[in-house]
């Protein structure tokens, strides 16, 4: 046993599969049963012959009862002695070779010897498997802890737990995990059990410069597996990517502004035949400017852990969304706005409006003329609030839905470019909602339209103080 890693998970944890449990029955089982029956017949026949001989000798000597009783007692003593030998061998776990006779006791000795040999072979295989698994777990670069579910005490940990979490063997075996991993918020996190969300970024108790990703895996009714991975390099690379995108976007803003300004100064009437080219150049210049602005907005959101919070009056927000939808639609769609929530939200008015506006803009762009755009603000089943944008557009194939919030991901690249989309809108929505502890749900059917809903928890709901009438907004 490795003194640094301690024992493997204690008794009661899920067992490793027995490699012989899945094997078919021994092909010689029927032969063994036949030999055992033959041994029993020989023993019974021998006993009967001995008793018969004793009876004959007793009648010949004139004392049949005494002779028969003496022989029966001798047989009983002999069987008792053989039973004692078997029990003594089992108790001392002797590995002696069984006798080769044909009686029942010899057959029993052979069966016990064969079963003991098979059990020893199985134990050796299981021990080898346990040692291999223990060595593999000990060699993992991620910290692995086995924690008792009821007491939340540490039962086992590997070598990496010493480097990443500062645990020492045997000092920390049996210690409460929350006390040993301070200042990490372990008690509240582990109280969630199976519902505990992974902690994506947390400082290591050993070195705050080390950033850890923590995951809790309930692998049995009584034991949990706590995994800690060093993600410092990944976070550093991610920060470098963010800085690069932000810097490049910022540097592109000035030349794009200059180009766009000069294009505005060019009058197509002064350059006959250049009208379509100038119009296309202005269109692409505006698209690039919007792309840069979205990249900067996304970088700003990714760099923040929280947003300034205020009570966001949803009445004016919904009215503004209606005006934006009508301006973008230019009369090609029916715009409906319904407010049945009767409440406001707590959050950043600017960022929430940006997220909602992205959803409304997408709905207008991807809905054919004559369709309907419905914006609804209602209460959620959990006591929270939901802002949903529903359209009757082309719909989204189900295989694309899980990736819609990835930056630059498009279901149809050509259609998105033609409509003026940058591929960053839903990614911005996702980050804004994440900073508000909210989530985005997407429900879509091809040819029937889509519904994008922002779900806010009850902690984000605030009572509405104005006297605005609820229902369909004018």
């Amino acid at each position: 046993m490795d003194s640094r890693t301690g024992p493997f998970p204690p008794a009661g944890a899920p067992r490793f599969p027995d490699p012989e449990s899945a094997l078919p029955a021994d092909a010689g089982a029927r032969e063994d049963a036949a030999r055992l029956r033959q041994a029993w017949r020989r023993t019974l026949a021998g006993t009967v012959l001995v008793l018969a001989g004793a009876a004959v000798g007793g009648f010949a000597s004139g004392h049949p009862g005494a002779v028969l009783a003496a022989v029966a007692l001798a047989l009983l003593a002999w069987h008792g002695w053989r039973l004692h030998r078997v029990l003594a061998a089992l108790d001392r776990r002797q590995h002696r070779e069984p006798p080769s006779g044909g009686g029942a006791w010899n057959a029993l000795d052979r069966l016990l010897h064969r079963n003991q040999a098979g059990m020893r072979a199985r134990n050796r295989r299981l021990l080898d498997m346990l040692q291999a698994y223990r060595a593999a777990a000990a060699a993992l670069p991620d910290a692995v802890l086995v924690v008792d579910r009821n007491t939340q005490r540490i039962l086992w940990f590997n070598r990496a737990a010493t480097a990443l979490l500062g645990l020492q063997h045997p000092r920390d075996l049996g210690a409460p995990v929350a006390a040993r991993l301070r200042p990490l918020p372990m008690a509240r996190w582990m109280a969630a059990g199976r519902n505990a969300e992974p902690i994506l970024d947390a400082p290591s108790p050993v070195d705050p410069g080390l950033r850890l990703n923590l995951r809790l895996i309930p692998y049995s009714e009584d034991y949990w597996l706590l995994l800690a991975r060093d993600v410092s390099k990944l976070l550093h690379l991610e920060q470098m990517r963010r800085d690069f995108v932000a810097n490049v976007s910022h540097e592109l803003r000035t030349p794009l502004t200059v180009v766009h300004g000069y294009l505005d100064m060019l009058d197509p009437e002064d350059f006959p035949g250049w009208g379509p080219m100038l119009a296309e150049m202005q269109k692409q210049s505006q698209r690039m400017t919007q792309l840069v602005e979205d990249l900067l907005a996304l970088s700003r959101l990714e760099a923040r852990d929280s947003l300034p919070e205020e009570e966001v009056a949803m009445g004016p927000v919904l009215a503004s969304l209606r005006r934006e939808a009508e301006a973008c639609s230019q009369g090609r769609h029916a715009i409906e706005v319904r407010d049945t929530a009767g409440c406001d939200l707590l959050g950043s008015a600017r960022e929430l409006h940006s997220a909602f506006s992205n959803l409304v803009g997408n709905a207008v762009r991807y809905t054919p003329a004559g369709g309907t755009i419905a914006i609804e603000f209602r209460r959620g089943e959990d006591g929270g609030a939901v802002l949903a944008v529903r359209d009757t557009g082309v719909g989204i194939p189900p295989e694309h839905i899980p990736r819609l919030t990835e930056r630059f991901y498009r279901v149809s690249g050509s259609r998105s470019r033609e409509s003026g989309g940058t591929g960053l809108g839903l990614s911005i929505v996702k980050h804004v909602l994440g900073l508000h502890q909210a989530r985005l749900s997407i429900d879509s059917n091809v040819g029937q339209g889509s519904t994008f809903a922002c779900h806010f928890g009850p902690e984000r709901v605030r009572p509405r103080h104005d006297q605005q009438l609820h229902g369909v907004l004018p």
Side-chain angles (χ1 to χ4, degrees):
M1 181 181 299
D2 190 341
S3 61
R4 292 184 60 191
T5 59
F8 212 70
R15 306 290 185 185
F16 295 102
D18 189 338
E20 292 190 358
S21 62
L23 294 178
D26 187 6
R30 288 188 295 272
E31 293 183 12
D32 292 339
R35 291 194 191 101
L36 187 59
R37 287 193 297 269
Q38 185 178 6
W40 275 111
R41 285 196 292 269
R42 288 179 180 179
T43 299
L44 290 175
T47 302
V48 170
L49 288 176
V50 170
L51 292 177
V56 172
F59 280 110
S61 64
H63 302 285
V67 174
L68 190 61
V71 172
L73 288 175
L75 283 174
L76 184 61
W78 182 79
H79 283 294
W81 174 71
R82 292 302 303 268
L83 177 62
H84 173 72
R85 286 186 59 189
V86 171
L87 294 177
L90 290 175
D91 183 58
R92 291 193 295 270
R93 298 182 180 179
Q94 295 178 348
H95 299 163
R96 59 185 178 82
E97 290 296 325
S100 58
W105 288 108
N106 293 333
L108 178 61
D109 281 339
R110 286 193 294 272
L111 286 175
L112 289 176
H113 180 268
R114 188 177 64 186
N115 290 339
Q116 286 178 338
M119 184 66 71
R120 287 193 296 271
R122 257 194 315 272
N123 288 340
R124 282 194 297 270
R125 284 193 293 271
L126 289 175
L127 182 60
D128 291 341
M129 291 173 64
L130 287 171
Q131 289 176 342
Y133 288 174
R134 185 185 65 188
L140 286 174
D142 300 336
V144 181
L145 283 72
V146 176
V147 181
D148 184 87
R149 176 183 178 183
N150 297 320
T151 63
Q152 295 190 2
R153 293 181 178 274
I154 302 172
L155 302 179
W156 178 87
F157 56 87
N158 64 351
R159 293 188 184 96
T162 299
L164 298 181
L165 300 174
L167 299 179
Q168 299 293 333
H169 181 84
R171 182 196 68 185
D172 294 323
L173 288 178
V177 64
R180 287 293 183 264
L181 300 185
R182 290 176 179 169
L184 297 178
M186 302 303 299
R188 180 182 301 176
W189 181 56
M190 296 186 67
R194 297 182 182 274
N195 298 322
E197 294 290 335
I199 299 178
L200 302 180
D201 182 16
S204 167
V206 179
D207 179 8
L210 286 177
R211 311 303 298 186
L212 302 180
N213 180 304
L214 301 178
R215 186 179 299 271
L216 188 64
I217 304 175
Y219 72 105
S220 79
E221 293 296 328
D222 299 318
Y223 301 101
W224 287 341
L225 205 62
L226 195 156
L227 304 179
R229 172 173 296 180
D230 182 5
V231 293
S232 303
K233 292 183 179 179
L234 292 177
L235 293 178
H236 180 65
L237 291 175
E238 179 66 16
Q239 186 60 45
M240 290 178 61
R241 181 192 63 81
R242 293 174 183 173
D243 293 343
F244 172 78
V245 172
N247 292 335
V248 170
S249 301
H250 184 75
E251 293 299 325
L252 285 175
R253 176 185 283 180
T254 299
L256 281 174
T257 302
V258 173
V259 171
H260 191 67
Y262 279 120
L263 287 174
D264 287 340
M265 294 174 60
L266 296 176
D267 190 347
E269 295 181 356
D270 297 335
F271 301 91
W274 284 31
M277 288 186 293
L278 290 175
E280 183 63 22
M281 292 170 66
Q282 288 180 337
K283 177 182 176 182
Q284 295 301 326
S285 173
Q286 292 172 351
R287 182 170 175 269
M288 289 183 65
T289 301
Q290 184 60 49
L291 179 60
V292 168
E293 294 299 330
D294 285 350
L295 282 172
L296 289 173
L298 190 57
S299 298
R300 185 181 67 252
L301 290 171
E302 289 178 338
R304 308 187 69 167
D305 296 326
S306 61
L307 294 172
E309 295 184 348
E310 57 183 328
E311 287 197 16
V312 181
M314 290 303 296
V317 170
L318 294 173
S320 176
L321 293 177
R322 171 188 279 277
R323 290 192 298 269
E324 293 177 10
E326 291 174 344
C328 184
S329 173
Q330 296 182 351
R332 293 180 294 113
H333 307 90
I335 309 298
E336 299 177 359
V337 179
R338 184 173 296 274
D339 179 11
T340 60
C343 65
D344 292 330
L345 293 177
L346 178 66
S348 170
R350 175 186 174 186
E351 304 302 344
L352 286 178
H353 184 274
S354 172
F356 301 155
S357 181
N358 268 301
L359 296 180
V360 172
N362 285 344
V364 173
R365 279 194 294 269
Y366 297 110
T367 301
T372 301
I373 312 297
I375 306 169
E376 181 182 11
F377 185 52
R378 65 178 188 272
R379 296 301 294 268
E381 297 179 357
D382 60 349
V386 179
L387 186 136
V389 179
R390 185 177 66 256
D391 63 61
T392 58
V394 296
I396 304 167
E399 64 270 18
H400 294 286
I401 291 179
R403 300 189 59 188
L404 284 180
T405 56
E406 296 180 11
R407 60 178 64 203
F408 297 115
Y409 185 82
R410 294 183 176 94
V411 177
S412 175
S414 60
R415 181 179 177 86
S416 181
R417 282 189 291 270
E418 290 174 1
S419 62
T422 63
L424 295 172
L426 290 180
S427 184
I428 292 175
V429 172
K430 175 187 174 182
H431 281 82
V432 169
L433 295 182
L435 292 172
H436 288 83
Q437 297 79 48
R439 62 182 179 87
L440 175 68
S441 67
I442 305 173
D443 182 21
S444 182
N445 293 302
V446 176
Q448 299 180 15
S450 307
T451 300
F452 291 77
C454 306
H455 299 262
F456 297 88
E459 68 279 0
R460 290 286 169 180
V461 173
R462 291 294 182 271
R464 185 172 296 178
H465 299 296
D466 59 18
Q467 302 298 322
Q468 178 181 337
L469 298 177
H470 308 314
V472 179
L473 297 181

